[in-house]
Amino acid sequence: MVSAPLPWLNGPLQQALRQRSHALLIHGPAGVGQYEFGFELARALLCEATGEGVQRPCGRCTACHLMDTHGHPDFRLLLPEALREPLGWPDEEGRKKDAKPSKWIRIEEVRQAIDWTHQSLSRGVAKVLLIHPATAMQEASANALLKTLEEPAPQVRLLLTTTDPELLLPTIRSRCQRLALPLPTREAALAWLQERGIAQPAVLLDAAGGRPLEAQALASEGIDADSWSALPQRLRQGDAGAVAQWPLPRLLETLLKLCHDLMAVAAGGAPRYFPAEALPPGAALPALAAWSRELTQLSRHDEHPWNAPLLAESLVAQAAALWPGKPASAGRGRLTTLGR
Ligand SMILES: [Zn+2]
């Protein structure tokens, strides 16, 4: 994919180019553009434009072009299989269509990448290895990388991303310089979404908790401002069609947001993810709190082998039962009855 210009990352990009550290840990909230930043920084580090007033990356030189076509020999990306397609790096080796894509970076890939860093430069500028996200490396892989992080070959740059540095091995953290990516201001995020043709961007930006790439992801999944605003009312009516075809993690996350907002409103506060007028009143605080705990538990295990359509239906029935005086279309069965 051609890296999207994310204006709020310009400051950190200039900072990273000034720092010139050989191992950089890029961290910030999810949906702020960590992959895009890592890729853009790699592009800047490999850009071959020279001369006064050149703002790297130039976007015109051979190296920039090679980056854009994913063919730069001095750039390597370690990505779990599950992220390849969403980020525009389709599988090289034909994975079985029905096999679930792995969310881990395999240790052989890490070892191959380490060997690659020791080979000589192809284009003589630098060699950049981007690992996104670094938390997709299991312990053995992370350990394999330690020596390279400590003493990379000359002109090698290692870029690691994470939403939470605390999830990484302390030995990894201590060998990297850190660079924090900020969330954009609301104005900047709204302007960016608007440029992308997203109608009523404020609703989707709230839906995404202020994270613009996440708002764009919602839009690309077919969730627009109107369907988002209509969702609480449809759930109240037990309308499972409102969330048909939603991936389970998206559904769970959305129900947690709904719970959060209903609890906030029940406690006299303001909602965060849904417009206030979209939230039907009357849900009781204790029931919301209990359901929120159940949802949190479930979302920790969102890769379980349960029948997802059945689970989705059951979750919608549970949502409908939050409001009194409105019998749900199905009983509020315990989730455990679906079988673990
Ligand atoms: Zn260039």
Side-chain angles (χ1 to χ4, degrees), residues 2-316:
V2 177
S3 61
L6 301 175
W8 56 91
L9 301 179
N10 282 339
L13 186 67
Q14 298 314 315
Q15 188 190 336
L17 288 172
R18 276 195 306 271
Q19 277 181 349
R20 305 199 75 80
S21 67
H22 63 260
L24 193 63
L25 180 57
I26 299 158
H27 63 98
V32 74
Q34 298 181 30
Y35 163 78
E36 287 76 6
F37 181 84
F39 188 81
E40 190 71 357
L41 177 56
R43 219 165 149 244
L45 291 168
L46 294 168
C47 175
E48 291 164 13
T50 52
E52 255 175 70
V54 170
Q55 290 251 333
R56 290 185 167 196
C58 74
R60 288 183 303 274
C61 71
T62 308
C64 283
H65 181 69
L66 284 169
M67 282 300 280
D68 290 342
T69 53
H70 293 176
H72 199 301
D74 289 325
F75 174 70
R76 190 121 173 186
L77 173 66
L78 290 182
L79 203 59
E81 225 167 49
L83 287 181
R84 295 197 75 88
E85 215 172 295
L87 293 179
W89 295 81
D91 276 331
E92 307 122 353
E93 319 140 40
R95 177 173 52 84
K96 277 195 213 132
K97 276 267 182 312
D98 47 348
K100 193 165 188 170
S102 166
K103 56 177 191 172
W104 300 106
I105 294 170
R106 294 189 316 238
I107 187 159
E108 311 89 76
E109 292 176 275
V110 176
R111 293 212 172 103
Q112 285 164 11
I114 292 170
D115 289 345
W116 170 85
T117 64
H118 293 290
Q119 294 160 13
S120 52
L121 304 184
S122 292
R123 298 190 60 86
V125 176
K127 236 176 156 85
V128 184
L129 173 61
L130 171 60
I131 304 177
H132 173 77
T135 41
M137 287 186 295
Q138 285 169 309
E139 196 168 334
S141 304
N143 279 324
L145 190 69
L146 284 180
K147 202 176 142 38
T148 310
L149 277 176
E150 188 130 274
E151 286 178 71
Q155 291 174 291
V156 168
R157 304 298 191 84
L158 301 162
L159 309 178
L160 284 67
T161 72
T162 180
T163 50
D164 184 0
E166 299 310 310
L167 294 176
L168 294 171
L169 292 178
T171 42
I172 293 273
R173 285 202 304 270
S174 65
R175 283 164 172 79
C176 296
Q177 272 199 16
R178 293 198 193 190
L179 184 76
L181 301 183
L183 268 182
T185 62
R186 189 170 175 80
E187 293 69 39
L190 289 176
W192 184 79
L193 289 169
Q194 213 141 26
E195 272 170 35
R196 263 135 208 92
I198 291 171
Q200 303 181 60
V203 174
L204 281 193
L205 187 62
D206 285 342
R211 303 177 306 184
L213 294 187
E214 185 63 16
Q216 191 187 29
L218 289 173
S220 72
E221 288 170 28
I223 301 171
D224 60 16
D226 288 338
S227 63
W228 181 260
S229 300
L231 190 63
Q233 193 54 254
R234 291 185 70 180
L235 289 173
R236 186 187 178 205
Q237 289 157 359
D239 178 0
V243 296
Q245 314 298 326
W246 282 30
L248 200 51
R250 173 68 72 211
L251 177 58
L252 286 167
E253 176 206 283
T254 300
L255 293 175
L256 272 167
K257 287 174 175 174
L258 178 64
C259 252
H260 169 279
D261 277 9
L262 290 171
M263 285 197 282
V265 170
R272 179 173 173 202
Y273 304 105
F274 289 90
E277 63 278 11
L279 295 165
L285 208 40
L288 286 167
W291 200 40
S292 170
R293 278 194 300 275
E294 257 183 78
L295 289 170
T296 305
Q297 194 107 37
L298 259 178
S299 56
R300 292 207 183 105
H301 302 282
D302 61 18
E303 301 218 43
H304 48 59
W306 297 353
N307 180 324
L310 266 186
L311 181 56
E313 245 172 67
S314 155
L315 288 168
V316 171

